[in-house]
Amino acid sequence: MSDPTDPTAGGAPTHPEYPVRTKRLRLRPVRRDDLEAIYSYRSLPDVALYLPHEPHTREVTEQTLERLISGQALATPGDWLGLAVENESGRVVGEVFLRLETEEPDTGQIGFAFHPDVHGTGIATEAVTAGLDIAFDHFGWHRVIGICDVRNLASAALMRRIGMRHEAVLRDGAFLKGAWCSDSVFAVLAGEWRRTPPPSAQERAVDVTVARFLSAFTRRAGEPVDLDAARAILAPDAVVERVREDGGVDRMGVDAFLTPRQTLLNGPELTEFQEFEVTFSTMVTAGRALRSSLYHKHGVRDGVPFAGWGRHHIALATDASGEWRIQSLTWTDDPEGRN
């Protein structure tokens, strides 16, 4: 095996000719004159929320750029290559990162951060796809992983969308910002990268419907919660079932399901709550869909943080307007959070 620390060795990355162009973007190594553009979003609390650092000061961004610039040759395992993402006007709107792993020179990691202005535009998807193209086509890596906080639904959805496979949940795997954090690990192999079919339009629509349903139950900082958004997604005659630990089943209709939860979410005890899918599978055919997922939930009850795991099995169908509605929902708690 060639020496991975020697940039002249046969195994050293062959960098592309920069900038790497996509339909709307240009990717090239970060520069010192990117400081203000990158600081403009790295300094935002929403951007830093699920990253391993607090919102940047200008000085911290400057130090970060210096580290990225010094390692951009990817000559040494552990180095990070920071690629600035420029839009059509030349504005830097985000970054894609590639890291040469320390144990296996043919294995890398991808990361990304973007200005909130471009969320929902497809720019992040386009840029991260280009980053994986570089990893496989130019660096010749065999495997690329991506890691995000389990609460970071947007990053997890992006990695699933481009064809990365969910492999693991590292429960309480890191202690950051004064709390234990769980991470989701995604990966894709070189042989899979060009073969992964994109999700169908119906599958994407089911993804959106389920995400909207779960997000309706979110409570932050004691703010009031209105479950009308969840009611709109449930069919009027939907059946909801909870499987108890003893194997018994509690069956209820829409009102019996939503009313006590709205009371609980708006009460003084449960001041924070969020529930989201960590892994899922979807089967869609002829206007019907079956969704199975492992989900994570966390919150604050009586001032004490709590967390838990569970499983959902959801049956959906399209209504007369073509919108997806939940026909039945079955869930059970899974204290071990098993995959």
Side-chain angles (χ1 to χ4, degrees):
M1 180 179 292
S2 61
D3 180 358
T5 66
D6 179 2
T8 66
T14 302
H15 288 261
E17 181 178 347
Y18 296 117
V20 172
R21 299 178 183 274
T22 68
K23 183 177 180 180
R24 296 179 293 172
L25 307 171
R26 293 181 297 274
L27 280 69
R28 45 85 178 161
V30 296
R31 305 185 302 243
R32 291 180 179 88
D33 61 1
D34 295 324
L35 174 62
E36 294 303 322
I38 292 175
Y39 170 69
S40 72
Y41 56 85
R42 281 185 175 246
S43 61
L44 298 176
D46 287 351
V47 172
L49 180 61
Y50 298 125
L51 296 178
H53 56 72
E54 299 293 343
H56 273 197
T57 63
R58 185 175 279 98
E59 181 182 12
V60 170
T61 300
E62 188 172 9
Q63 294 169 352
T64 300
L65 287 178
E66 291 298 328
R67 287 196 299 271
L68 290 172
I69 290 169
S70 67
Q72 65 188 22
L74 287 184
T76 303
D79 282 349
W80 282 97
L81 168 64
L83 296 171
V85 179
E86 296 181 346
N87 64 12
E88 294 164 304
S89 68
R91 175 192 171 200
V92 174
V93 295
E95 298 156 89
V96 173
F97 312 101
L98 292 171
R99 180 180 188 264
L100 182 62
E101 293 294 88
T102 56
E103 299 298 327
E104 287 292 342
D106 291 334
T107 298
Q109 184 177 158
I110 193 165
F112 44 89
F114 291 89
H115 197 292
D117 286 354
V118 302
H119 290 177
T121 65
I123 281 178
T125 299
E126 189 173 330
V128 177
T129 298
L132 285 174
D133 286 341
I134 294 170
F136 291 122
D137 297 344
H138 294 278
F139 296 167
W141 289 349
H142 172 68
R143 169 180 162 87
V144 176
I145 66 170
I147 301 173
C148 70
D149 190 297
V150 294
R151 296 167 295 174
N152 192 342
L153 299 183
S155 290
L158 188 158
M159 287 188 278
R160 288 191 179 99
R161 189 160 57 245
I162 64 177
M164 298 184 77
R165 174 186 59 257
H166 185 266
E167 291 193 336
V169 173
L170 307 180
R171 298 181 61 196
D172 289 354
F175 190 79
L176 298 169
K177 302 177 182 178
W180 286 103
C181 301
S182 299
D183 288 327
S184 287
V185 180
F186 295 81
V188 62
L189 302 178
E192 300 168 329
W193 177 233
R194 299 300 181 194
R195 302 175 189 171
T196 305
S200 68
Q202 287 189 319
E203 289 171 328
R204 291 195 299 271
V206 170
D207 291 347
V208 170
T209 299
V210 174
R212 284 172 49 211
F213 178 74
L214 295 179
S215 67
F217 295 87
T218 299
R219 189 181 198 190
R220 292 191 175 93
E223 290 295 318
V225 176
D226 186 345
L227 293 184
D228 284 350
R231 183 182 297 274
I233 294 170
L234 289 161
D237 58 350
V239 175
V240 181
E241 297 177 324
R242 174 179 178 266
V243 181
R244 303 191 303 268
E245 289 187 15
D246 62 6
V249 177
D250 298 323
R251 180 172 295 181
M252 62 202 86
V254 173
D255 287 335
F257 171 63
L258 292 180
T259 300
R261 281 158 182 80
Q262 178 142 336
T263 300
L264 176 63
L265 286 168
N266 287 314
E269 298 177 359
L270 194 63
T271 54
E272 299 275 349
F273 184 75
Q274 187 179 23
E275 179 178 295
F276 50 88
E277 294 177 306
V278 177
T279 63
F280 62 83
S281 62
T282 307
M283 183 174 66
V284 180
T285 179
R288 295 185 176 275
L290 294 175
R291 176 83 157 211
S292 296
S293 65
L294 173 71
Y295 68 87
H296 184 69
K297 58 185 177 181
H298 64 93
V300 176
R301 182 188 295 117
D302 292 328
V304 179
F306 70 91
W309 297 82
R311 295 184 183 276
H312 283 142
H313 300 283
I314 304 174
L316 306 95
T318 52
D319 61 16
S321 66
E323 297 293 323
W324 287 99
R325 297 284 182 265
I326 293 175
Q327 306 295 312
S328 67
L329 164 64
T330 301
W331 91 91
T332 182
D333 291 326
D334 183 355
E336 298 301 321
R338 293 179 291 267
N339 282 307

